[in-house]
Amino acid sequence: MRRITVLGATGSIGQNTLDVVARHPEDFEVFALTAHSQVQVMAELCLKHHPQYAVMGSQSSASELKELLGTQVSTQVTYGEKALAEVSAAGDVNIVMAAIVGAAGLAPTLAAIDAGKDVLLANKEALVMSGQLFIDHAQRSGARIIPVDSEHNAIFQCLPQAAQQLVGTMSLAEHGIQHLLLTGSGGPFRDIPLEELSKQTPGAACNHPNWSMGRKISVDSATMLNKGLEYIEARWLFNCSREQLKVVIHPQSVIHSMVQYTDGSVLAQMGEPDMRTPIAHSLGYPERLESGVSNLDFTQIGQLTFKQPESARYPCLQLAIEACWAGQWATTALNAANEIAVDAFLQEQVGFTDIAKVCDSVLQSITTHEADSIETLLAIDKKARLAAKQWLQEYAQ
């Protein structure tokens, strides 16, 4: 019996994780669930999964959850950053699903890493913000990192077993690997005329053609900043150079990513666009678990198509690629600026194409490039958010 803490339990990754866990009651026990503010959903999850602990983002949301649960379960309800770190590093925990969206997920994920847990990494920002520091912490503690994002999990599955044991430190060339190919659907705006992009609404941006996701990540998919963050994450997970990492548009989302070997072979991981597949793989690794996902029917797939992403259509992707190789300061600043810009777009304060403008402006405004500790990275994150908010204030005037 393995005990699991799910960071970000009310999100799509968290709920899909609990769906897979519930299919294997003899293998897993839920130790802790965490959420920011979705009290009603959290209450339902606690009543179903009976965690020992539930952690909310604020005292008020924790009090509301306590009231809803009453005496129905023995779950201890608490709140705040300290409690998040505690349930991530607790001695009873074997596995931590790191699925908190955004920079808020960095500290508890790092706590799990420092405690030497098996960390199932669905929080891109942990590597986008801290990169080498994150990998160094895992090396010191002996924590095992297994990528959950469908693209990174696909690459992981296509690697030789020896390379799978060296997440963050592998040499691709030594394992006969020439390129990693990150696939992306291109989002809901991949085929509309470029001049129409500025007119797109939050509703349209969140209407992803293939995946069911939260609003923020749906917008990131529309701009392909999400793929840019995955590009940065792949750089650190697989220790690759710029020449070894490519992005390919694959509208059907059947191939989730590929590994190209020096002998001409290409290994691809395929499946239905359902996050329960990579979640089940990461939970059971190195064994395979039943996930509840239907089998891929090759007679119904039709054509599989591929093309290069257009920089004019996806400026956020290009910003992310450049930031990846500019340094940790740049990826931290880009992530922070994007969070502010996407939130403003979702609130209809700016247009869709303004997201890239905010990010570009913030990157140009950052002059402090020192990023040798979590403290300096958090300082850059804060500075970038302030710069993004300043841009929005000027835009509104």
Side-chain angles (χ1 to χ4, degrees):
M1 181 69 71
R2 306 186 73 196
R3 293 182 179 87
I4 182 170
T5 286
V6 181
L7 301 173
T10 58
S12 60
I13 296 293
Q15 294 197 58
N16 277 319
T17 298
L18 292 170
D19 179 89
V20 175
V21 165
R23 295 171 186 274
H24 302 276
E26 70 284 358
D27 295 323
F28 301 102
E29 178 183 335
V30 178
F31 177 79
L33 301 178
T34 84
H36 180 60
S37 59
Q38 293 194 53
V39 176
Q40 186 63 51
V41 178
M42 186 62 145
E44 293 170 3
L45 294 177
C46 288
L47 291 172
K48 182 176 180 179
H49 299 283
H50 299 269
Q52 292 184 42
Y53 295 92
V55 182
M56 299 300 296
S58 66
Q59 185 175 10
S60 60
S61 58
S63 297
E64 189 177 346
L65 179 61
K66 283 182 182 179
E67 186 175 343
L68 278 176
L69 294 177
T71 59
Q72 299 177 80
V73 290
S74 59
T75 300
Q76 297 184 48
V77 179
T78 184
Y79 68 93
E81 293 181 6
K82 182 180 178 182
L84 279 174
E86 287 175 348
V87 297
S88 300
D92 290 340
V93 173
N94 308 107
I95 306 171
V96 174
M97 172 59 78
I100 295 177
V101 175
L106 175 58
T109 304
L110 199 56
I113 288 289
D114 287 338
K117 307 300 182 185
D118 281 359
V119 176
L120 313 187
L121 191 62
N123 170 270
K124 297 178 182 63
E125 291 77 11
L127 284 171
V128 169
M129 288 183 65
S130 63
Q132 190 62 58
L133 287 168
F134 191 89
I135 297 300
D136 289 345
H137 277 247
Q139 286 295 107
R140 285 196 294 269
S141 70
R144 182 167 67 167
I145 301 171
I146 303 176
V148 174
D149 270 348
S150 60
E151 295 81 4
H152 304 101
N153 184 266
I155 289 171
F156 183 85
Q157 291 194 48
C158 293
L159 293 174
Q161 188 174 25
Q164 291 177 342
Q165 310 308 311
L166 299 170
V167 169
T169 62
M170 70 188 70
S171 168
L172 295 180
E174 287 181 7
H175 293 282
I177 297 167
Q178 190 172 57
H179 297 111
L180 305 181
L181 302 169
L182 278 174
T183 60
S185 70
F189 305 147
R190 62 181 173 238
D191 296 319
I192 69 171
L194 291 176
E195 59 271 19
E196 296 293 317
L197 284 175
S198 62
K199 305 173 185 177
Q200 300 308 309
T201 65
C206 291
N207 187 26
H208 195 282
N210 301 340
W211 296 90
S212 175
M213 305 182 292
R215 283 166 62 79
K216 194 268 182 183
I217 196 171
S218 293
V219 175
D220 284 347
S221 179
T223 65
M224 279 198 78
L225 191 281
N226 189 51
K227 197 58 53 182
L229 298 182
E230 290 171 3
Y231 179 100
I232 297 164
E233 188 180 6
R235 179 256 176 103
W236 294 113
L237 285 171
F238 308 115
N239 195 32
C240 50
S241 66
R242 186 166 188 160
E243 293 72 28
Q244 293 172 319
L245 189 55
K246 297 182 179 181
V247 176
V248 179
I249 299 292
H250 170 49
Q252 294 80 20
S253 295
V254 172
I255 294 177
H256 301 308
S257 275
M258 299 172 277
V259 175
Q260 192 164 38
Y261 286 83
T262 53
D263 63 2
S265 300
V266 179
L267 299 188
Q269 189 271 334
M270 307 170 71
E272 292 288 345
D274 190 317
M275 282 304 299
R276 289 177 298 174
T277 295
I279 288 168
H281 174 266
S282 60
L283 281 169
Y285 180 82
E287 306 299 328
R288 296 278 178 171
L289 298 177
E290 191 276 322
S291 66
V293 179
S294 59
N295 292 329
L296 193 63
D297 184 347
F298 285 90
T299 66
Q300 300 299 316
I301 289 175
Q303 289 187 328
L304 299 180
T305 59
F306 307 89
K307 64 179 181 179
Q308 287 188 333
E310 308 167 66
S311 58
R313 186 177 300 276
Y314 304 113
C316 284
L317 172 61
Q318 194 58 43
L319 285 173
I321 291 172
E322 296 304 322
C324 179
W325 306 107
Q328 203 71 70
W329 67 270
T331 57
T332 298
L334 175 63
N335 177 68
N338 180 67
E339 286 188 16
I340 298 299
V342 170
D343 183 64
F345 170 68
L346 288 170
Q347 296 183 48
E348 301 186 7
Q349 296 171 355
V350 296
F352 179 74
T353 53
D354 291 322
I355 296 171
K357 295 175 184 177
V358 173
C359 292
D360 188 27
S361 175
V362 169
L363 282 170
Q364 293 184 44
S365 74
I366 301 296
T367 56
T368 303
H369 296 174
E370 182 180 340
D372 56 359
S373 68
I374 293 297
E375 290 73 25
T376 56
L377 289 169
L378 290 175
I380 290 171
D381 177 88
K382 182 177 180 180
K383 187 174 183 178
R385 290 174 191 275
L386 291 173
K389 290 175 182 177
Q390 180 63 36
W391 191 99
L392 293 171
Q393 288 176 359
E394 294 175 359
Y395 176 89
Q397 292 175 356

